[in-house]
Amino acid sequence: MMQWLLFLRAPLGLRRCWKVSGVIALLVGSFAASAQTRQDSVTIRRLYDEALLRGQSYENLRHLTTRIGGRLSGSPQAAQAVAWSKKTLENLGLDRVYLQEVLVPHWVRGAREKAFVRIGRANKQPLAVCALGGSIGTGGRLRAGVVEVNSWAQLAALPVLEVAGKIVFFNRALQPVHSETFQAYFEAVDQRNEGAVQAARRGAVGVLVRSLTLAHDNLPHTGAVRYEEQTPKIPAAAISTLGAEQLSHQLRLTPGLELELEMHCQTLPDVLSYNVVGEWRGQTYPEEIITVGGHLDSWDLGQGAHDDGAGTVQSIEVLRLLKATGLHPERTIRVVLFMNEENGNRGGLTYAELARQNSETHLAAIESDAGGFTPRGFRVEASPAVLTTFQRWRHLLRPYQSDKLSANQRGVDIGPLKTQVKALISYDPDDQRLFDVHHTAADTFDKVNRRELELGGASIAALVYLISRYGL
């Protein structure tokens, strides 16, 4: 306001000079902003060109999945993946590549699980099941009656005598009405996570959980189950969606049927493993860190291609793309391949704790853990001021259809950084097909499309470039 009053009181000639200089300043600023935008557009185009013409994510994924395979924490394959990814990062010529020690759970599945429905003495029908991660074994063959429930309220309403000594069958299906399949998954995952504890409190001897997928097939989906020390541990298995419908139908026909379940899984002592870290120091603000990562471990049924081999190789590719296009980051970029996301998140917890102990300044943390599907954008958890910055960059990502910004980031590994970072970000591809293969034997290399995978790496690299150049 004071500047405006001085302008009105100034002589006419001086006012004209000020007006002219002001217009010139606005024009210069506009031209500078336009030139800056053009430069960013050209740089991002180069990143995408490099990814689509010479991308290495797909071939890296081929090696990780077909040469190493499923990488359950504590397994020999997980150790092989650590060695391979460390060597791959070293080949990029980074400033530093190192390992962070992580003590991880060592659960083993053992011989293949078996389940049968027994109707009478002679009729025995097989069911497609798999042990949930962390479950105890059956100690031979478990044979018991079955009680079906579709909600926690239904379980709580049952008399204890109707549950005691039975196998509780959680048959709550994913709801197909949601446009985002993750929403359906999050609404139903509690029965897998908590089912064994809630059923054991009512005297059950085992639990069977409908697989968390909208697909109708005979693929059981594994995933972690939780126990608590004060409650008896009971065997927990997943059943395929077709198997769940078959069992539900048989229970209506024969309420007194019995189920036979045989699982040989066990938990061994914890094993030393590692997060794999590659660091490229920023040339202007090296103390400000941008973390980019995926989780190196996977479940053991398949090859861990979409979950999370895709995120692993995309994170590595971010650094390769920036180097290949001749860019040098203003801020430090750190790729972290986390260990033990699937059944403990000890890698993510360890990384956040070391960052706190070292008093590091973390600007942003980005995780890719939703499959190697077509890019749509990012999910950002940050202050309103930081979100405004991301909104200003959307037009630069729009030509590549990766400009959608959503709330509620989903990265498990980066979650422990919440109080130490300005923005938590999860890469957000189209999730319609993810839960067809999620945690199953079908999560294999052949299910990943090369172009979709490489586009995802370029999308993440473009966002990392913008954060590195302008900060938050």
Side-chain angles (χ1 to χ4, degrees):
M1 178 63 74
M2 182 59 67
Q3 290 177 337
W4 180 241
L5 289 174
L6 289 172
F7 174 76
L8 290 176
R9 292 172 181 171
L12 181 59
L14 186 57
R15 275 189 275 168
R16 286 175 178 165
C17 289
W18 283 353
K19 287 176 71 176
V20 170
S21 62
V23 169
I24 292 174
L26 286 173
L27 289 173
V28 169
S30 177
F31 285 139
S34 179
Q36 181 176 293
T37 297
R38 286 198 301 273
Q39 181 184 344
D40 290 336
S41 296
V42 169
T43 299
I44 291 172
R45 179 69 263 178
R46 287 166 55 205
L47 290 169
Y48 275 89
D49 287 349
E50 175 66 24
L52 294 174
L53 294 173
R54 291 170 292 277
Q56 294 183 12
S57 294
Y58 193 69
E59 291 307 318
N60 281 337
L61 184 64
R62 185 195 302 276
H63 184 102
L64 181 62
T65 56
T66 64
R67 298 283 296 276
I68 297 176
R71 306 166 298 281
L72 189 59
S73 294
S75 69
Q77 292 84 358
Q80 292 171 33
V82 167
W84 170 82
S85 56
K86 181 174 183 288
K87 180 65 175 176
T88 303
L89 285 170
E90 288 172 342
N91 290 340
L92 294 179
L94 305 176
D95 294 313
R96 188 183 178 203
V97 177
Y98 58 99
L99 303 178
Q100 292 179 335
E101 292 187 353
V102 183
L103 202 61
V104 300
H106 188 195
W107 178 80
V108 293
R109 187 173 299 278
R112 185 173 180 176
E113 306 88 339
K114 298 177 183 177
F116 300 92
V117 173
R118 294 192 66 99
I119 304 172
R121 300 185 63 179
N123 193 346
K124 191 175 178 180
Q125 301 175 5
L127 294 172
V129 302
C130 69
L132 292 178
S135 174
I136 65 169
T138 55
R141 186 172 296 174
L142 172 65
R143 183 171 173 176
V146 180
V147 56
E148 178 181 354
V149 298
N150 294 294
S151 67
W152 298 120
Q154 189 177 358
L155 176 63
L158 289 172
V160 171
L161 290 178
E162 289 189 23
V163 180
K166 302 283 185 64
I167 295 172
V168 174
F169 168 37
F170 291 94
N171 195 27
R172 183 173 9 126
L174 268 65
Q175 294 300 308
V177 295
H178 300 299
S179 60
E180 290 189 352
T181 57
F182 261 106
Q183 186 173 348
Y185 176 79
F186 288 141
E187 287 180 357
V189 72
D190 57 344
Q191 62 189 336
R192 187 195 73 197
N193 296 341
E194 304 292 331
V197 169
Q198 299 300 329
R201 287 175 180 170
R202 309 280 295 170
V205 296
V207 295
L208 203 58
V209 180
R210 182 188 180 101
S211 285
L212 301 176
T213 178
L214 291 164
H216 285 73
D217 56 30
N218 255 330
L219 284 173
H221 293 229
T222 192
V225 64
R226 187 185 73 86
Y227 291 121
E228 60 182 20
E229 291 303 321
Q230 63 270 31
T231 304
K233 296 180 180 180
I234 59 177
I239 182 171
S240 69
T241 52
L242 289 181
E245 292 176 0
Q246 175 188 344
L247 178 58
S248 182
H249 176 70
Q250 292 290 357
L251 282 168
R252 288 193 295 272
L253 296 177
T254 312
L257 64 77
E258 289 187 321
L259 182 78
E260 287 186 5
L261 180 63
E262 186 175 344
M263 303 195 308
H264 301 274
C265 45
Q266 58 180 319
T267 299
L268 303 176
D270 288 355
V271 172
L272 181 63
S273 189
Y274 306 91
N275 291 335
V276 183
V277 184
E279 190 171 288
W280 191 10
R281 288 183 63 77
Q283 61 183 356
T284 308
Y285 308 100
E287 73 285 356
E288 296 186 8
I289 299 168
I290 304 166
T291 293
V292 185
H295 63 86
L296 195 53
D297 64 303
S298 75
W299 287 108
D300 56 321
L301 295 178
Q303 297 174 341
H306 279 294
D307 188 19
D308 186 28
T312 293
V313 299
Q314 285 173 334
S315 299
I316 295 171
E317 184 74 349
V318 166
L319 287 179
R320 194 199 70 79
L321 291 173
L322 293 170
K323 276 186 164 287
T325 49
L327 298 172
H328 197 297
E330 301 296 321
R331 291 158 172 86
T332 294
I333 302 173
R334 183 185 288 170
V335 163
V336 184
L337 308 179
F338 297 94
M339 181 58 68
N340 185 233
E341 187 271 352
E342 293 292 6
N343 58 337
N345 193 28
R346 295 191 186 175
L349 291 167
T350 297
Y351 181 73
E353 176 58 23
L354 290 174
R356 186 192 64 78
Q357 291 177 10
N358 295 329
S359 300
E360 293 178 341
T361 301
H362 282 257
L363 201 62
I366 307 172
E367 183 163 9
S368 173
D369 186 21
F373 302 104
T374 304
R376 288 291 179 263
F378 299 90
R379 308 186 75 89
V380 183
E381 187 174 332
S383 69
V386 171
L387 288 174
T388 299
T389 298
F390 284 99
Q391 290 287 352
R392 287 201 299 265
W393 293 334
R394 288 184 63 191
H395 71 283
L396 293 165
L397 301 174
R398 192 164 297 127
Y400 312 99
Q401 300 180 49
S402 59
D403 60 313
K404 180 182 177 183
L405 292 180
S406 305
N408 303 319
Q409 76 85 24
R410 295 166 174 161
V412 171
D413 295 294
I414 62 176
L417 285 169
K418 184 172 183 177
T419 61
Q420 305 173 56
V421 69
K422 284 191 174 182
L424 292 175
I425 307 162
S426 51
Y427 167 60
D428 197 22
D430 189 322
D431 64 11
Q432 298 305 319
R433 292 170 287 157
L434 175 61
F435 293 100
D436 292 353
V437 301
H438 186 252
H439 294 183
T440 75
D443 187 8
T444 50
F445 175 70
D446 60 294
K447 305 301 190 305
V448 179
N449 177 273
R450 177 193 289 268
R451 184 172 177 81
E452 291 179 336
L453 181 71
E454 303 291 2
L455 281 168
S459 298
I460 301 169
L463 186 63
V464 169
Y465 157 74
L466 291 169
I467 298 173
S468 173
R469 184 173 187 192
Y470 299 108
L472 293 176

